């Protein structure tokens, strides 16, 4: 009876969550709905899943009984976009009645307002013109007769063909007819257009209107401003004619900057004033979050490189992790001794609104439990900035990572005690310590993407624990002096580890506990490693300022070893304080890689 009693409210909460997050809006667009007559669905929702028509198995007798018994039958209509029955409100019924009577739809509209006499109603004595009609207006035109006879002769000879009558039947086109059907990327190509130049305005004219010319005071203020703060990067000037316009002094410089914009296709996200330690990409791939030593977390739009929101947190941001569940809009931020659960309120309003509703529906247990941390609900100013929950620890934090389902997350404390690693559950606001004693200085932890395994990387070893059996499964020997980062292949059978002694170790868990291959491509310490979720790619970022992207093919055949091939060296970050690339992350769907560096920038390489 115990487990059943605790499971029922959790199940009901899960159903409430699914009902809240269900988005039934039809995104089919403005197309004729008769295209869906022969299909069981009537469109697609935001996730690309079919919206099925309601099951209509009523015969004439059922319809008659419903008409007799249902008091709201007369005000129920069918929505052609979703196929659902909608009950009209009193205002809508009143609008229909007014339109049937020939009245105006708006109640407040007065059709009997006094008319304005735009044209005079007085009849004039003399006409405007009293010239008699021409004689040619009574005689048929010979020129027109000749033209008509020529057209008739051309139609008879077949030189001029009459227009075909238009067909009312709709035509359909196969969008992917010219694509290679065997190509994986055929339907997933996403072209990112080159940045467009801003079109010139009136202020760039050689003879602009007087209101665009600057006065002496405005010129003085313009010269004292910083170049980034100026609305215009030039002073409008007036010339008497086009011949008097001199040569443009910044022409070569602007052409060079334009060529750089086109050549350096990678986007640069500028705004942080100090080194950017961490970044994380949203599950949809539309947003990226970055944390910096300047005490802020910035949320960027990937396609436009626009900073959508800046969250000051009052401390160095050590780690940022976006919740991998696409139905939840939540970001975990490590700041000093606290984990902030932030709702950035970006994207679909239904999505982040439902996330707030789920967090607010939490009911605390009757008996307060002893926990290693303290859960605090954000109020006032913090709530207005997006912070929803604060998980306060006793020591400084250095990493946070989410479980694949999005409910659990783990944190690593910068301490050498048995309280280094803690696992937290968001829905129950419950934290626990999974280890009784310390096994060394923990560098980072990760959840297995598929199975209930927990990876803990210390300085020289990677321990794999089974969360169900609560026992140690494997112990990987990294053959490195100091492990810095770790990533797990989406298949779950391969792990890569980066180290501060410039090595990258690839482990095949089915093969051995020692590295299958050691890669020594970087010249300085590795700070971050990452796997792509769908493509056979993995990358590593180092203090030498480069990102090396490698092809790592894992075969389904267990007898065939993985194929590791270096593909590309990406350069762009400037070395600052002997630090280069601090964190990297792949886009969830596209073959793009994000990187954050000590130069205060976040870069996207496509």
């Amino acid at each position: 009876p115990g487990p059943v009693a605790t499971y029922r409210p959790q199940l009901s909460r899960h159903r409430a969550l699914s009902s809240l997050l269900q988005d039934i809006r039809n995104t089919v667009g403005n197309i004729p709905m008769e295209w869906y007559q022969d299909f069981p669905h009537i469109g697609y929702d935001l996730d690309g899943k079919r919206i099925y028509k309601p099951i209509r198995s009523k015969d004439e007798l059922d319809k008659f009984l419903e008409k007799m018994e249902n008091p709201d039958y007369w005000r129920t209509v069918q929505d052609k976009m979703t196929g659902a029955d909608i009950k009209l409100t009193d205002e809508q019924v009143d609008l229909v009645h007014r339109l049937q009577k020939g009245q105006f739809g708006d109640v407040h509209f007065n059709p009997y307002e006094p008319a304005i006499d735009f044209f005079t109603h007085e009849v004039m004595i003399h006409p405007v013109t009293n010239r008699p009609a021409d004689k040619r207006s009574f005689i048929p035109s010979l020129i027109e007769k000749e033209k008509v006879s020529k057209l008739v002769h051309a139609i008879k000879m077949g030189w001029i063909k009459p227009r075909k009558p238009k067909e009312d039947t709709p035509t359909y086109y196969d969008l992917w007819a010219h694509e290679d059907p065997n190509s994986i990327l055929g339907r997933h190509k996403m072209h990112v257009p080159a940045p467009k130049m801003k079109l010139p305005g009136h202020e760039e004219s050689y003879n602009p209107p007087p209101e665009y010319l600057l006065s002496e005071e405005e010129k003085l203020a313009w010269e004292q401003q910083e170049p980034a703060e100026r609305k215009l990067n030039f002073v409008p000037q007036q010339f008497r004619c086009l011949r008097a316009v001199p040569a443009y002094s910044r022409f070569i410089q602007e052409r060079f900057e334009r060529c750089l914009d086109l050549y350096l296709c990678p986007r640069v996200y500028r705004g942080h004033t100090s080194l950017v330690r961490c970044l994380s990409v949203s599950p949809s791939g539309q947003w990226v979050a970055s944390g910096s030593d300047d005490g802020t977390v910035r949320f960027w739009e990937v396609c436009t490189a626009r900073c959508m929101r800046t969250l000051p947190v009052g401390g160095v941001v050590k780690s940022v992790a976006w919740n991998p569940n696409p139905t939840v809009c939540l970001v975990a931020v490590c700041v000093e001794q606290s984990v902030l659960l932030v709702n950035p309120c970006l994207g679909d309003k239904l999505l982040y609104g439902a996330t707030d509703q789920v967090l607010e529906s939490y009911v605390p247990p009757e008996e307060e439990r002893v926990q290693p941390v303290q859960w605090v609900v954000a109020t006032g100013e913090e709530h207005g900035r997006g912070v929803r929950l604060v998980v306060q620890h006793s020591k400084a934090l250095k990493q946070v990572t989410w479980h694949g389902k999005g409910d659990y997350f783990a944190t690593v404390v910068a301490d050498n005690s048995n309280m280094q690693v803690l696992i937290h559950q968001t829905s129950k606001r419950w934290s626990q310590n999974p280890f009784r004693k310390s096994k060394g200085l923990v560098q980072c932890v990760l959840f297995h993407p598929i199975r209930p395994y927990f990876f803990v990387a210390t300085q020289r070893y990677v321990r794999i624990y089974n969360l169900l059996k609560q026992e140690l499964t494997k112990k990987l020997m990294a053959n490195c002096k100091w492990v810095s980062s770790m990533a797990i292949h989406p298949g779950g059978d391969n792990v890569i580890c980066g180290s501060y002694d410039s090595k990258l170790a690839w482990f095949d868990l089915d093969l051995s506990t020692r590295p299958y291959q050691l890669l020594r491509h970087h010249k300085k310490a590795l700070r971050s490693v990452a796997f792509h979720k769908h493509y056979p790619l993995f990358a590593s970022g180092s203090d030498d300022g480069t990102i090396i992207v490698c092809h790592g093919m894992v075969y389904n055949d267990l007898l065939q070893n993985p194929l590791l091939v270096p593909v590309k060296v990406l350069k762009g970050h400037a070395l600052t304080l002997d630090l280069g690339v601090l964190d990297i992350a792949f886009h969830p769907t596209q073959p793009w890689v994000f990187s954050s560096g000590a130069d205060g920038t976040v870069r996207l390489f496509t």
Side-chain angles (χ1 to χ4, degrees):
V4 175
T6 57
Y7 181 72
R8 283 179 178 169
Q10 187 176 1
L11 181 62
S12 61
R13 189 184 299 116
H14 176 71
R15 289 175 178 168
L17 173 62
S18 61
S19 63
L20 279 172
L21 298 181
Q22 186 181 10
D23 193 357
I24 58 169
R25 292 177 296 173
N26 198 346
T27 59
V28 71
N30 187 13
I31 64 167
M33 296 309 295
E34 61 262 22
W35 290 4
Y36 287 94
Q37 281 182 355
D38 300 327
F39 293 92
H41 61 284
I42 201 164
Y44 302 87
D45 60 6
L46 291 179
D47 295 326
K49 297 178 181 177
R50 295 179 178 179
I51 300 177
Y52 287 93
K53 299 177 183 176
I55 299 174
R56 298 187 175 275
S57 59
K58 296 180 181 179
D59 53 10
E60 295 297 324
L61 183 59
D62 292 333
K63 292 180 181 179
F64 176 77
L65 291 175
E66 185 182 6
K67 185 176 181 180
M68 293 295 104
E69 296 173 358
N70 187 6
D72 295 325
Y73 181 84
W74 62 276
R75 60 163 64 192
T76 305
V77 296
Q78 182 184 358
D79 185 8
K80 292 183 178 180
M81 290 293 288
T82 60
D85 292 333
I86 298 176
K87 177 184 172 183
L88 298 179
T89 61
D90 295 335
E91 291 81 9
Q92 293 170 336
V93 173
D94 190 18
L95 174 64
V96 173
H97 286 329
R98 287 199 304 273
L99 294 177
Q100 286 178 342
K101 293 178 184 177
Q103 299 176 356
F104 287 91
D106 191 0
V107 184
H108 306 290
F109 182 80
N110 184 14
Y112 303 107
E113 290 181 352
I116 300 174
D117 194 7
F118 292 98
F119 302 97
T120 177
H121 60 280
E122 299 175 359
V123 180
M124 301 174 67
I125 303 173
H126 302 288
V128 178
T129 172
N130 202 15
R131 186 169 63 87
D134 292 328
K135 183 180 179 182
R136 63 173 176 266
S137 63
F138 302 98
I139 301 174
S141 174
L142 296 176
I143 299 174
E144 291 180 1
K145 180 182 177 182
E146 188 178 354
K147 282 185 179 180
V148 170
S149 62
K150 285 183 178 180
L151 291 173
V152 170
H153 179 64
I155 292 173
K156 286 181 179 179
M157 297 297 292
W159 300 335
I160 298 178
K161 296 182 179 179
R163 293 177 182 173
K164 294 181 180 180
K166 292 184 178 179
E167 296 180 0
D168 294 331
T169 56
T171 55
Y172 305 96
Y173 302 96
D174 185 6
L175 295 177
W176 313 106
H178 302 291
E179 294 287 344
D180 181 11
N182 299 322
S183 174
I184 300 175
L185 305 177
R187 297 187 59 175
H188 299 286
K189 289 178 182 175
M190 181 178 177
H191 174 65
V192 179
K196 293 183 179 180
M197 294 184 67
K198 181 186 174 185
L199 297 177
H202 295 299
E203 65 274 4
E204 298 192 42
S205 171
Y206 75 93
N207 187 15
E211 60 267 18
Y212 287 95
L213 298 175
L214 302 181
S215 62
E216 293 296 329
E217 297 178 356
E218 291 174 337
K219 282 184 182 179
L220 187 62
W222 183 86
E223 291 172 356
Q224 293 177 352
Q225 282 180 331
E226 293 291 332
E229 298 176 356
R230 295 171 180 167
K231 292 184 179 179
L232 299 174
N233 56 358
F234 63 93
V235 178
Q237 294 179 335
Q238 190 175 27
F239 302 95
R240 55 183 178 83
C241 61
L242 195 58
R243 292 172 311 191
V245 178
Y248 186 40
S249 58
R250 297 185 70 252
F251 175 78
I252 295 181
Q253 184 179 356
E254 285 195 355
R255 291 292 95 187
F256 177 71
E257 291 176 356
R258 175 63 178 166
C259 290
L260 282 182
D261 288 341
L262 297 176
Y263 174 68
L264 298 175
C265 182
R267 284 158 170 73
V268 181
Y269 305 80
R270 303 185 187 275
H272 286 294
T273 57
S274 184
L275 54 90
V276 186
R277 287 187 182 272
C278 50
L279 58 86
S280 181
V281 191
S282 66
S284 62
Q286 187 178 1
W287 319 101
V288 61
S290 60
S292 170
D293 278 17
D294 60 6
T296 62
V297 176
R298 289 179 179 263
F299 297 93
W300 313 84
E301 189 175 19
V302 171
C303 290
T304 61
R306 176 186 173 193
C307 181
M308 305 297 294
R309 188 178 296 275
T310 302
L311 174 65
V313 293
V316 175
V317 181
K318 292 293 182 66
S319 180
V320 172
W322 208 297
N323 194 310
N325 190 349
T327 61
V328 177
C329 185
L330 211 59
V331 181
V333 181
C334 273
V335 183
E336 294 179 350
Q337 297 183 6
S338 301
V339 174
L340 309 180
L341 295 182
V342 180
N343 185 352
C345 297
L346 296 174
D348 193 349
K349 190 174 182 180
L350 289 176
L351 189 68
Y352 62 76
T355 304
D356 281 345
Q357 291 180 8
V358 172
L359 292 176
E360 292 168 1
S361 64
Y362 168 74
V363 179
E366 296 179 358
E367 296 182 3
E368 189 174 350
R369 297 172 291 185
V370 179
Q371 299 191 56
V373 299
Q374 188 177 0
W375 292 74
V376 180
V377 179
T379 56
E381 184 184 357
E382 282 189 341
H383 190 276
R385 290 183 298 181
V387 181
R388 298 296 182 259
L389 291 171
V390 181
V391 187
Q392 297 176 350
H393 294 64
S394 58
K395 297 288 180 66
L397 294 165
K398 61 181 180 181
Q399 191 213 356
V400 62
T401 181
W402 287 95
H403 186 264
K405 297 292 181 63
D407 190 20
Y408 290 89
F409 66 95
T411 55
V412 178
V413 179
D415 187 18
N416 200 11
S417 65
N418 62 337
M419 300 285 288
Q420 287 186 87
V421 181
L422 297 175
I423 297 179
H424 316 268
Q425 187 175 7
T426 310
S427 58
K428 294 183 178 180
R429 299 186 188 178
W430 165 248
S431 304
Q432 55 186 332
N433 177 18
F435 303 114
R436 293 179 182 175
K437 58 182 180 179
S438 174
K439 293 286 188 179
L441 190 62
V442 177
Q443 300 300 309
C444 57
V445 297
L446 283 176
F447 288 97
H448 194 282
I450 305 170
R451 291 184 282 275
Y453 292 150
F454 190 56
F455 290 72
V456 179
T458 56
Q459 288 186 8
R460 296 198 176 188
Y461 304 102
V462 177
R463 291 178 172 85
I464 306 174
Y465 295 92
N466 191 324
L467 295 175
L468 291 180
K469 298 180 180 179
Q470 298 183 0
E471 64 182 14
L472 177 65
T473 305
K474 275 185 183 178
K475 182 180 176 182
L476 307 179
M477 301 174 189
N479 285 2
C480 302
K481 292 182 180 178
W482 198 311
V483 174
S484 63
S485 53
M486 177 175 55
I488 306 174
H489 190 271
D493 291 332
N494 293 270
V495 178
I496 55 175
C497 292
S499 67
Y500 291 118
D501 53 350
S502 311
K503 296 178 186 176
L504 187 144
W506 176 293
F507 293 94
D508 190 339
L509 301 182
D510 296 331
L511 195 63
S512 171
T513 58
R514 295 188 178 274
Y516 161 69
Q517 201 162 339
L518 271 176
L519 305 179
R520 298 179 177 88
H521 297 141
H522 287 286
K523 298 177 182 178
K524 290 187 179 181
L526 272 74
R527 293 281 175 179
S528 180
V529 291
F531 269 111
H532 198 286
K533 288 186 178 179
H534 302 293
Y535 292 93
L537 297 173
F538 67 95
S540 57
S542 170
D543 278 344
D544 58 8
T546 63
I547 302 150
I548 296 182
V549 181
C550 300
H551 175 90
M553 188 63 189
V554 177
Y555 299 96
N556 293 329
D557 186 3
L558 296 177
L559 298 177
Q560 194 167 2
N561 293 332
L563 175 66
L564 311 182
V565 181
V567 175
K568 188 74 175 174
V569 179
L570 304 174
K571 300 178 182 179
H573 287 282
L575 296 181
T576 308
L577 301 174
D578 289 335
L579 297 175
V581 180
L582 299 179
D583 197 7
I584 58 173
F586 276 103
H587 192 278
T589 56
Q590 301 296 329
W592 302 346
V593 64
F594 297 86
S595 65
S596 64
D599 55 357
T601 63
V602 177
R603 295 173 185 264
L604 165 62
F605 298 92
T606 60

